[in-house]
Amino acid sequence: MIKNSPTAATFSGSHMSLAELCEPVSLSKSVANIMISGLSVDSRAIEKQQAFVALPGEVTHGEKYIQMAIENGAAAILLETEPEASCDTLDGVSVPIVAIPHLRRQVGEIASRFYKTAENKALHIVGVTGPNGKSTCWFLLAQ
């Protein structure tokens, strides 16, 4: 299922443990077995048991929206950090935070692992350009 969001799509339907999702990051047993049902970079689109991917943006860091993601049902937070940084400073966070150095570079691989796009799905990319007829072409392609 694809859920529309103002800034990002949230996909759900599969389930994976946090340990499988975040490998090779080492997690404690209590955290490793948490089941994740989806991923999103948009805290407004988070649903129960999904992981919020808190990435830095041009203006603000996704860390600013962790509380909103938790209120919406996030089961875990994937947080971009510097290689030697610690997340122990985030007070009041009630779900596990997985600190992943250079998360932005790895988020595609994490999403692919979760949704198994590389293994199970053929990906077809179509580009439609030109001054006229783009919407009609996309409508016909979708049929």
Side-chain angles (χ1 to χ4, degrees), residues 38-83:
L39 305 170
S40 183
V41 297
D42 186 340
S43 61
R44 299 167 294 184
I46 289 289
E47 295 178 359
K48 188 175 181 180
Q49 290 305 110
Q50 293 183 340
F52 174 54
V53 183
L55 295 170
E58 283 187 38
V59 178
T60 186
H61 195 295
E63 181 178 353
K64 179 178 176 181
Y65 303 100
I66 288 175
Q67 192 58 44
M68 180 187 293
I70 292 169
E71 290 169 5
N72 288 338
I77 309 297
L78 307 183
L79 181 65
E80 178 158 328
T81 63
E82 295 301 319

Side-chain angles (χ1 to χ4, degrees), residues 116-136:
K116 297 173 180 59
T117 53
E119 298 172 11
N120 299 330
K121 298 179 184 175
L123 182 62
H124 302 283
I125 298 174
V126 177
V128 179
T129 63
N132 299 312
K134 292 181 293 294
S135 296
T136 300

